[in-house]
Amino acid sequence: MTNGTLIHGFQLLHKIFVKEADSTAYTFEHVKSGARVFILQNEDDNKVFSISFRTPPTDDTGVAHIVEHSTLCGSRKYPLKEPFVELVKGSLNTFLNAMTYPDKTMYPVASRNDKDFQNLMDVYLDAVFYPSMCQNPQVLMQEGWHYEIEKPEEPLRYSGVVYNEMKGALSAPDDLLESRIMHSLYPDTTYGHESGGDPEAIPDLTQEKFVAFHSRYYHPSNSYIYLYGDIDIEEKLAYLDEEYLSHFDRIPVPSRIDREPAFAAFRRIDTTYPVSEEDGTAEKTFLALNWSVGESLDPKTMMGLEILEHALLRTQAAPLRKVLIDAKLGKDVDSLFEDDMLQPFFSIVVNNAEAERAETFRALTLEAMQKLVHDGIDKELLEASINLLEFRLRESDFGSAPKGLIYGIRIMKSWLYDGQPETYLYYEDLLREMKAGLANGYFEQLLETYFLKNSHQTLLVMAPDTKLAARREAEQEKILAEKKAAMSAEEIDQVIAATRALKDRQQSPETEEALKSIPVLKLSDIRRQTDRLPLDVRAAEGAEVLFSDIETNGIAYLNFYFDASAVPQQEIPYLYLLAGFLGMVDTEKHTYAELANLRNLHTGGITADVIAYTKKDQPDSLMPRLRVRAKALVEKLPKLMEILAETLTRSKFVDGKRVKEILEQGQAGIELDLQRSANQIIIARIASYLSAAGCYSEEGGLKMYPFLKELQQDFDAGFKKIQQAFADIIPRVFNRRNLTVSVTMKEADYGCFTKAFGTLWQSLSANAYEPQAYHWDIETRNEGLTSSSRVQYVGKGANFLRLGYRYTGSMAVLETLLRYDYFWTKIRVQGGAYGAFTGFNRNGFMYFGSYRDPNLRETLEVFDGTADYVRHFTASEREMNKFIIGTMSGIDAPLTPMMKGDMAATCYLRGITQEDRQRRRDEVLGARQEDIRALAPLIDSCMKENVYCVFGNEEKIREEQDLFGTVKPAL
């Protein structure tokens, strides 16, 4: 194929080999429809498809976000209410979702199975071009918003999935802050609008505007089609042309992204956000200094700014961060560099501050930047940041996300704005330019150009307001009361009828004919044998080594599992604290800044955490481990071991100022994570009501917040306690007698590990310590944790092993069933929550949970009704197979080399054998309706334990006070 070739209606515009992605890149244009197509062809069997549209919003109604949800609610070929859910149930996908950005909407799918991949493509293409949402107003009602009222005497209220999702999203102060930052910098363009939707504005979206938005932007002439992997190009192009694109003519689409003109002068914006009365307002203000920085079409500047952000603000050696921390403007400093938009922005944020410190913050920042430009930025600091970026680019490890998906998101940084799609796949030349920039003042020039001499700058002051939430709810109640008062009795009856009709539609089962429209794989398409996790138990020095022989492209992945069972119970919170302190303080040889530089120069990262493992099938077991994770190029292993030995055994906890900074940063981090991770918090709380492992984990969870506060209240006393506890813990934990090491690399490189390991081994304590006896009062509890959130996170759980039941693979199928059938219908579709989740673990812990949920009591009732649903579960063989296949897509998700090594080590530590994994697979593949129904007594027994936890809106929880044994502020 050469440039200009015409194939199946597509003209080849450009063909090139992209070494960094090990792919041949093809750029096509569909002549008739104007659709753009970019293909990365290579040997990766994890194929990716996406179709994206430029979708710039012009208001805050969230129309782009609501359309994204709604296109997947039925289409021409697939006339179901929720084809997306049917796909999830019965596909071997490795990724299946849709995402709304400030200026684009993406619909990506991925699968390793050819037939499945084709099915996913077809459902998504039919959904975006021929959605039912344009003819059926109930789709907007369900996914966007609607009036909800069931009896004439009831008050009018709003509900809808996106409406409640955004009530939850914008309850998180950091999400709200980012939205306000964008509005401050881009008030006159699409970036000034909340693409996700502002709950106050979402009810302004009409069916007419909703359909018009789709008609305007969802046309092939405005589309960006991407394919990745082991693709038959001719076959895919023929399919795209014949089935979809040839049915459209090229049209002009007014979707251009306008640029905000540069500000003539700096602007300050003062605004507020809601906090609860219990939280108070002292030191709760966010200060953000923001700049619009260049354009994403300039990849060199974007990489330079990414390196600059890390060097100046993201590492422990960061000089700008240190200036701001030392000035005691707030408890922590954060940064945000967003370049997934035409006009990227860069923000420096001080958390837990006061409004009167805002001007000092700006002046200090600019003064520090001026000094860095004048004196020069430390070359080793910059080199360390370049090295870390280079390591990550070459590693190309994106966890569970397919590599092709990340490439597909990356290319939109240029392609969406009419640049070459492959621009952001290249990095070799850019890295060379960055390294050359160390000597020619490139980074100082960036700092001067985009920060010091840039008038397109804002200072955003977001202060707490304890009355805002109540005022906002009162205003909404007033608006709704006025709307209802203005309605005639007939109009109220129409709203009641519309509410009832929507619920009837939501509750009605899909027809057999509609269900059969979704293509389903056969169970025979799935291999019967489980993957064998490579693991060889060896010894190095005196340590047990769990070796996984896997190709890692010259990288060594290491996990050091230190048994922490010798740590006394009263010191467990200090153990969690120690994990957070490692690498953050000076050592005997280096300052913490020098140590950070060494880490970034010679490794791909070192982190530490504490995990309370349990043995398989033993709910009362407890195996606490402090895990240190590290990765480095094989040739850098000697340096890695030196850094580890120094960090673990020669850290000095003598600088009170530094210790206090870390405590304050930890406290600020918990406050920010609260709204973001509330679903994890409620499940961890429930686990702490049920087991010793749960109680142990909670010492590092929500309980860490009052612990950190107490240490700071009388800091002199707290500092001494920390020093004493660490002095006792370090020899107990970092000890030769209790170390297991997981090593993932090629066998040919294993000798490099054993040769280097002695450096760390020799530094460890050899003292003998007895394991400690732990005791917690395990008791059934139900807590309401109050906050300023506008929605709830509702969780309920129990331990089924203790109730006399056993773990089976059919539970994994039940998870799929509940998540995408019973809970999806009852909690998301009918209840308006953003989602629901469930889990059954080998240690007996099971849980149900809801996410960004407007309800509370009703959701607990849904959980309690689960046993009845399971007891009466029926499905055709086709539907049952679909649930099994959907379950297998999660079980067979591709693993990176690091993930394989981690999983092999975890199974070994917990006593999970290859036979156990195979048995679970056999039970999943062999699950039948009667196996699901047989789980009803287990669910019933678990729900009758009445163990639950709710995080959410203070007023809502207080209204349901009788449900709870304890109601208290979350923090």
Side-chain angles (χ1 to χ4, degrees), residues 114-375:
D114 289 343
K115 190 160 69 169
D116 187 43
F117 182 65
Q118 184 61 40
N119 294 344
L120 295 170
M121 279 179 64
D122 199 60
V123 173
Y124 265 48
L125 284 162
D126 205 64
V128 297
F129 290 131
Y130 302 103
S132 305
M133 54 166 265
C134 295
Q135 292 79 44
N136 187 347
Q138 288 181 324
V139 175
L140 171 61
M141 291 174 69
Q142 174 179 295
E143 296 300 318
W145 76 278
H146 63 274
Y147 292 122
E148 181 112 345
I149 185 171
E150 295 181 358
K151 298 174 184 172
E153 64 273 16
E154 286 181 352
L156 206 59
R157 61 187 186 277
Y158 294 128
S159 192
V161 173
V162 170
Y163 177 77
N164 289 315
E165 177 190 348
M166 294 311 295
K167 279 177 81 172
L170 296 181
S171 291
D174 51 343
D175 283 350
L176 186 60
L177 181 70
E178 184 172 348
S179 181
R180 301 267 174 85
I181 287 169
M182 289 182 66
H183 183 70
S184 78
L185 288 169
Y186 311 108
D188 305 314
T189 72
T190 192
Y191 296 132
H193 298 297
E194 176 49 70
S195 59
D198 184 328
E200 314 312 314
I202 288 173
D204 295 335
L205 180 62
T206 64
Q207 177 72 11
E208 292 70 30
K209 290 178 183 175
F210 176 61
V211 172
F213 189 90
H214 179 271
S215 301
R216 185 182 309 122
Y217 296 127
Y218 280 64
H219 188 280
S221 297
N222 190 43
S223 70
Y224 301 79
I225 297 171
Y226 166 71
L227 285 155
Y228 166 92
D230 189 3
I231 299 288
D232 182 330
I233 293 178
E234 288 208 28
E235 177 206 308
K236 294 305 179 203
L237 292 182
Y239 157 74
L240 287 168
D241 174 64
E242 291 165 17
E243 292 294 321
Y244 291 97
L245 301 181
S246 62
H247 303 284
F248 295 86
D249 292 318
R250 184 189 295 259
I251 62 168
V253 178
S255 65
R256 191 186 70 182
I257 310 298
D258 291 325
R259 292 162 171 82
E260 182 78 39
F263 294 173
F266 146 80
R267 300 177 184 180
R268 171 172 169 157
I269 295 98
D270 287 81
T271 184
T272 58
Y273 76 100
V275 295
S276 65
E277 290 280 359
E278 286 98 339
D279 287 343
T281 60
E283 297 203 314
K284 288 286 195 297
T285 296
F286 290 83
L287 308 176
L289 190 54
N290 320 292
W291 294 263
S292 180
V293 286
E295 292 196 353
S296 66
L297 289 166
D298 178 2
K300 179 182 176 181
T301 297
M302 295 304 105
M303 182 180 277
L305 289 170
E306 184 179 354
I307 290 164
L308 206 57
E309 180 197 20
H310 185 266
L312 301 188
L313 290 153
R314 287 273 174 188
T315 167
Q316 294 307 314
L320 183 50
R321 174 185 168 82
K322 186 174 189 308
V323 166
L324 298 174
I325 291 286
D326 286 348
K328 299 195 180 304
L329 298 168
K331 288 184 179 170
D332 200 6
V333 174
D334 204 354
S335 62
L336 179 63
F337 173 44
E338 179 54 74
D339 63 346
D340 273 312
M341 48 198 287
L342 177 59
Q343 286 182 286
F345 69 88
F346 193 112
S347 297
I348 302 172
V349 181
V350 176
N351 303 327
N352 299 85
E354 294 288 1
E356 58 267 22
R357 301 171 194 164
E359 297 298 338
T360 304
F361 162 49
R362 178 169 179 258
L364 262 179
T365 301
L366 297 177
E367 182 186 319
M369 287 180 168
Q370 189 71 60
K371 190 172 188 303
L372 287 164
V373 169
H374 182 270
D375 297 346

Side-chain angles (χ1 to χ4, degrees), residues 5-64:
T5 301
L6 199 62
I7 175 170
H8 300 297
F10 293 87
Q11 185 173 25
L12 178 63
L13 303 180
H14 188 52
K15 175 185 174 183
I16 193 167
F17 183 73
V18 180
K19 177 175 170 287
E20 288 88 336
D22 195 20
S23 307
T24 302
Y26 299 84
T27 305
F28 292 95
E29 183 177 67
H30 189 253
V31 177
K32 184 172 188 287
S33 70
R36 305 161 187 85
V37 176
F38 182 64
I39 300 176
L40 281 177
Q41 189 181 42
N42 52 53
E43 295 181 359
D44 193 342
D45 71 341
N46 196 4
K47 294 171 287 295
V48 178
F49 161 81
S50 80
I51 181 163
S52 305
F53 301 91
R54 202 152 56 187
T55 51
T58 55
D59 56 34
D60 294 330
T61 60
V63 59

Side-chain angles (χ1 to χ4, degrees), residues 556-576:
Y557 295 102
L558 308 175
N559 287 344
F560 300 87
Y561 299 94
F562 291 98
D563 188 337
S565 57
V567 175
Q569 183 163 347
Q570 69 273 15
E571 290 183 353
I572 293 171
Y574 292 95
L575 178 69
Y576 279 95

